[in-house]
């Protein structure tokens, strides 16, 4: 008798559970859809924001911007926003490898910070072939697209900036050129015999001197006049030639 009563109660409970399972599944699907909806809204708003920023950067020749969301917690649950969420940077200095944006929904009222990984691709100068120490750069380099936000040592993006420059040390093929790797070519070596010129009353006067230090184009160096032994300052104008500016 007791077994019969227990079996009957168990069957009733089982039937109740079977009856509510479809409802539970429906509620679970609805919650999942709502969750996916709010996430899609956030991603869409961030897409729109960075599309505008990328267009602005490309128009001003600053490079091509790409991004990847890296800080949207998968456990996060928020109600779907009734309007397009607003996206803004946390400060003016946002253009860096790892940045953050604030996404705000006016109704229902919620706000969250989302981590972003950025890349800004720009054509910069890299070595086309291996280059030895003290070699001229112009004929051994080329432009290549690189993510400048990931470069911590600096870069150069114009050929004018490397004109007359040589390497401080050997460089490998594909190496990014930065200001710390190059120096001006020495046109006047220390102790070299140089021609010294000066304009005096419209007359060009030349003499010879000994360079007391190395000099690159445009640099002022000390030169000792070979005849008078007087030390003067003169500007390097070409190989083994300097001029006195009066």
């Amino acid at each position: 008798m007791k077994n019969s009563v227990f079996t009957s109660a168990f069957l009733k409970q089982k039937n109740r559970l079977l009856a509510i399972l479809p409802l539970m599944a429906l509620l679970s699907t609805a919650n999942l859809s709502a969750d996916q909806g709010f996430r899609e809204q956030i991603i869409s708003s961030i897409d729109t924001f960075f599309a505008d920023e990328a267009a602005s950067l490309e128009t001003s020749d600053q490079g091509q911007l790409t991004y990847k969301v890296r800080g949207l917690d998968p456990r996060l649950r928020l109600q779907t926003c009734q309007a397009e969420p607003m996206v803004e940077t946390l400060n003016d200095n946002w253009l860096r490898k790892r940045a953050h944006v604030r996404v705000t929904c006016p109704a229902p009222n919620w706000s969250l910070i989302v981590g972003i990984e950025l890349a800004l691709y720009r054509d910069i100068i890299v070595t086309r072939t291996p280059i030895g120490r003290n070699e001229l750069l112009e004929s051994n380099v080329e432009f290549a697209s690189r993510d400048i936000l990931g470069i911590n040592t600096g870069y150069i993006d114009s050929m004018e900036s490397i004109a007359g420059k040589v390497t401080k040390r050997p460089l490998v093929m594909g190496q990014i050129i930065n200001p710390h790797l190059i120096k001006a070519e020495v046109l006047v070596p220390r102790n070299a015999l140089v021609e010294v010129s000066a304009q005096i009353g419209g007359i060009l006067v030349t003499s010879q001197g000994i360079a007391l230090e190395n000099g690159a184009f445009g640099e002022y160096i000390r030169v000792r006049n070979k005849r008078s032994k007087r030390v003067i300052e003169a500007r390097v104008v070409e190989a083994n030639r300097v001029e006195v500016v009066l």
Side-chain angles (χ1 to χ4, degrees):
M1 182 68 177
K2 289 182 179 180
N3 289 339
S4 177
V5 172
F6 175 78
T7 301
S8 177
F10 174 77
L11 290 175
K12 288 181 180 179
Q13 186 68 18
K14 180 179 178 181
N15 290 335
R16 291 194 189 98
L17 289 173
L18 291 174
I20 65 173
L21 279 176
L23 179 60
M24 293 174 63
L26 181 62
L27 290 174
S28 176
T29 301
N31 289 335
L32 180 61
S33 298
D35 175 58
Q36 293 298 327
F38 110 81
R39 289 180 182 280
E40 289 174 358
Q41 278 188 322
I42 291 175
I43 297 300
S44 175
S45 299
I46 293 175
D47 280 339
T48 300
F49 176 84
F50 279 109
D52 293 340
E53 294 295 335
S56 176
L57 289 169
E58 192 165 358
T59 299
S60 58
D61 293 326
Q62 296 188 52
Q64 295 182 328
L65 182 70
T66 64
Y67 85 96
K68 179 171 62 176
V69 175
R70 64 172 181 84
L72 191 56
D73 193 336
R75 299 167 298 179
L76 191 65
R77 297 292 183 270
L78 292 172
Q79 292 182 354
T80 301
C81 193
Q82 297 177 12
E84 184 72 14
M86 296 176 293
V87 180
E88 60 182 346
T89 58
L90 301 186
N91 51 60
D92 293 335
N93 188 26
W94 60 270
L95 193 55
R96 56 183 64 185
K97 192 64 181 175
R98 293 188 179 275
H100 294 83
V101 294
R102 178 183 288 108
V103 183
T104 304
C105 174
N109 187 18
W110 53 256
S111 178
L112 73 157
I113 305 297
V114 179
I116 304 292
E117 184 173 331
L118 298 174
L120 183 62
Y121 291 93
R122 183 183 297 175
D123 286 341
I124 61 175
I125 296 176
V126 302
T127 55
R128 183 170 52 83
T129 62
I131 308 177
R133 182 173 177 269
N134 286 327
E135 288 189 19
L136 283 170
L137 286 171
E138 283 103 327
S139 61
N140 298 303
V141 296
E142 61 186 1
F143 283 104
S145 180
R146 295 287 187 272
D147 174 19
I148 63 172
L149 299 183
I151 302 174
N152 298 319
T153 54
Y155 60 90
I156 297 174
D157 59 3
S158 71
M159 286 295 182
E160 291 79 6
S161 299
I162 65 168
K165 298 297 191 339
V166 297
T167 56
K168 290 182 178 179
R169 60 179 177 83
L171 305 177
V172 299
M173 185 174 63
Q175 186 164 350
I176 295 171
I177 301 298
N178 68 63
H180 307 292
L181 297 176
I182 61 177
K183 61 183 179 180
E185 180 185 13
V186 174
L187 297 179
V188 176
R190 183 174 179 268
N191 294 325
L193 181 65
V194 297
E195 179 185 287
V196 183
S197 63
Q199 285 280 352
I200 302 176
I203 300 174
L204 179 65
V205 178
T206 62
S207 61
Q208 288 187 324
I210 302 297
L212 300 181
E213 54 194 327
N214 292 334
F217 177 78
E219 291 183 338
Y220 283 85
I221 63 172
R222 292 177 301 122
V223 178
R224 178 182 290 114
N225 187 286
K226 193 174 180 182
R227 177 176 295 180
S228 68
K229 308 303 180 185
R230 180 187 173 193
V231 176
I232 59 173
E233 272 203 346
R235 187 172 69 92
V236 177
V237 292
E238 59 184 62
N240 294 328
R241 183 171 174 268
V242 299
E243 68 177 8
V244 178
V245 180
L246 300 175

